[in-house]
């Protein structure tokens, strides 16, 4: 589900949660074209889902968080 531009979070924690949730959806869908060669979701795909531009460091942090939460 894509978000509208009106809902762009400014709080870093809210942004990270939105990005994390989008990445979870991407992983569940498991569409090859949504992932880079290294297995990380494409930044543009994540941005499209959340409805705001996602910065590379945000994407990387959310991806690390997602991977840490699935291990154990």
């Amino acid at each position: 589900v894509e978000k509208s531009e009106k809902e762009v979070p400014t709080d870093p924690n809210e942004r990270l949660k939105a990005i994390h949730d989008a990445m979870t959806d991407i992983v569940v869908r498991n569409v090859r074209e949504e992932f880079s060669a290294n297995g990380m979701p494409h930044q543009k795909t994540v941005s499209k889902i959340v409805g705001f531009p996602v910065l590379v460091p945000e994407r990387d942090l959310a991806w690390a968080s997602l991977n840490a939460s699935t291990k154990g």
Side-chain angles (χ1 to χ4, degrees):
V1 177
E2 295 177 20
K3 297 187 182 229
S4 71
E5 289 292 329
K6 298 175 195 170
E7 301 175 37
V8 175
T10 56
D11 179 85
N13 292 322
E14 289 179 22
R15 289 177 66 89
L16 186 60
K17 180 172 180 353
I19 296 165
H20 186 279
D21 291 347
M23 287 186 163
T24 300
D25 291 344
I26 292 168
V27 168
V28 169
R29 285 198 306 248
N30 198 27
V31 176
R32 171 65 191 111
E33 293 76 24
E34 294 181 342
F35 293 89
S36 65
N38 68 2
M40 187 179 292
H42 284 295
Q43 180 183 1
K44 288 181 181 180
T45 303
V46 178
S47 294
K48 183 178 178 186
I49 292 171
V50 297
F52 58 85
V54 174
L55 303 174
V56 171
E58 292 175 315
R59 191 248 347 240
D60 293 350
L61 182 60
W63 186 242
S65 172
L66 180 64
N67 284 319
S69 68
T70 59
K71 291 182 180 176

